[in-house]
Amino acid sequence: MSAGWAELDDRAWRLYGGVHRLLLRLAGQLPDELITRARTMLAEGDLAYLPDTVTIAAAEAGVGLTAQEVGVLREVFVALGLEGEPTAADEITLTTTTPATGHIFSPDSARPARVPAGLDLTDGVPGEVADLEDDLFDLTDHLVVDALSENAGVVAVRRAWRDGSGERRRVYLVEVDPGVPAWELALEGQKEAAQMGESDPQVEVYWSGDDLPPYHRSAIEAAILLWRR
């Protein structure tokens, strides 16, 4: 894991937080496998190859980064005492916007027409969809929620199903208090989902009050609320 939260100075917070927000913004724009791997690298403090991983993938896919994001990746190099700058950093297209990704989100994997977007399961499964209980909140969901809800800084856990690119998959959306090490909770959620056979788990952890990309706003709008504090 990364350095203890209380031990992170202002510079470390800026780097870890900056990279975490960068990976949030790139979710749905770069391959799931790369996002999951990069989040693992960040949470485990394995930063030496993380900037190269991101810049090479972004340059190859034609995905733009903001000047601030490129600056954070360059600063990682400086902080680690590495020479030069991230590979392909000068090939990155600079942008000030985040595009919609074209993904379609729904609350249920098989019967989205019967399950209302934004369904709240925190007080149990409503009677009109009681027959879907095992699908709406299955063992994978329970394990992720149980693990994340043990952290006092977690505000809510939602889950949507995503279509539109590649295989249909779960996307977890985890709201946490400002000042919480969001990257560590992302890794914890990934590990729990992976234990249940989820490939490249997508666990989107964001701070309350953040201005989220279109990808996350669409996912939250469709998602089921599994747990809240």
Side-chain angles (χ1 to χ4, degrees):
M1 302 295 280
S2 65
W5 185 243
E7 300 173 3
L8 291 181
D9 59 20
D10 290 344
R11 186 186 193 191
W13 160 251
R14 185 173 66 253
L15 292 180
Y16 276 91
V19 174
H20 179 79
R21 281 194 168 95
L22 162 61
L23 295 176
L24 273 175
R25 203 181 67 79
L26 293 179
Q29 297 189 70
L30 292 180
D32 293 338
E33 183 277 332
L34 185 140
I35 295 294
T36 301
R37 176 159 49 93
R39 286 178 173 154
T40 299
M41 295 166 74
L42 178 63
E44 293 181 342
D46 182 17
L47 303 183
Y49 297 104
L50 201 161
D52 285 345
T53 298
V54 172
T55 53
I56 291 172
E60 290 180 346
V63 172
L65 303 181
T66 68
Q68 182 179 8
E69 289 167 344
V70 175
V72 167
L73 295 175
R74 284 177 168 141
E75 190 174 353
V76 171
F77 263 41
V78 174
L80 296 177
L82 301 175
E83 296 182 359
E85 63 176 23
T87 304
D90 58 351
E91 300 174 22
I92 296 292
T93 300
L94 296 181
T95 185
T96 59
T97 62
T98 302
T101 63
H103 292 97
I104 299 171
F105 294 94
S106 58
D108 180 54
S109 61
R111 291 163 295 270
R114 284 195 57 196
V115 181
L119 180 66
D120 186 340
L121 298 185
T122 57
D123 291 326
V125 179
E128 62 269 23
V129 289
D131 58 310
L132 307 179
E133 180 173 2
D134 291 341
D135 292 331
L136 290 176
F137 202 165
D138 65 13
L139 182 56
T140 301
D141 297 331
H142 278 288
L143 289 175
V144 172
V145 168
D146 288 348
L148 295 179
S149 62
E150 291 181 358
N151 188 297
V154 175
V155 176
V157 181
R158 293 175 170 84
R159 189 262 298 128
W161 286 86
R162 189 193 77 192
D163 269 330
S165 177
E167 65 178 307
R168 187 169 177 77
R169 65 161 62 248
R170 304 170 201 254
V171 176
Y172 289 99
L173 302 127
V174 185
E175 180 182 353
V176 300
D177 292 324
V180 168
W183 47 89
E184 296 190 351
L185 292 174
L187 179 59
E188 189 169 353
Q190 287 179 184
K191 288 180 175 179
E192 293 296 330
Q195 287 184 10
M196 293 302 296
E198 291 287 309
S199 61
D200 308 319
Q202 299 299 287
V203 182
E204 307 295 323
V205 184
Y206 60 95
W207 291 286
S208 296
D210 273 8
D211 183 15
L212 295 174
Y215 176 88
H216 299 82
R217 295 199 299 269
S218 295
I220 290 171
E221 184 176 344
I224 287 175
L225 177 62
L226 301 177
W227 179 89
R228 66 182 164 202
R229 190 168 61 196

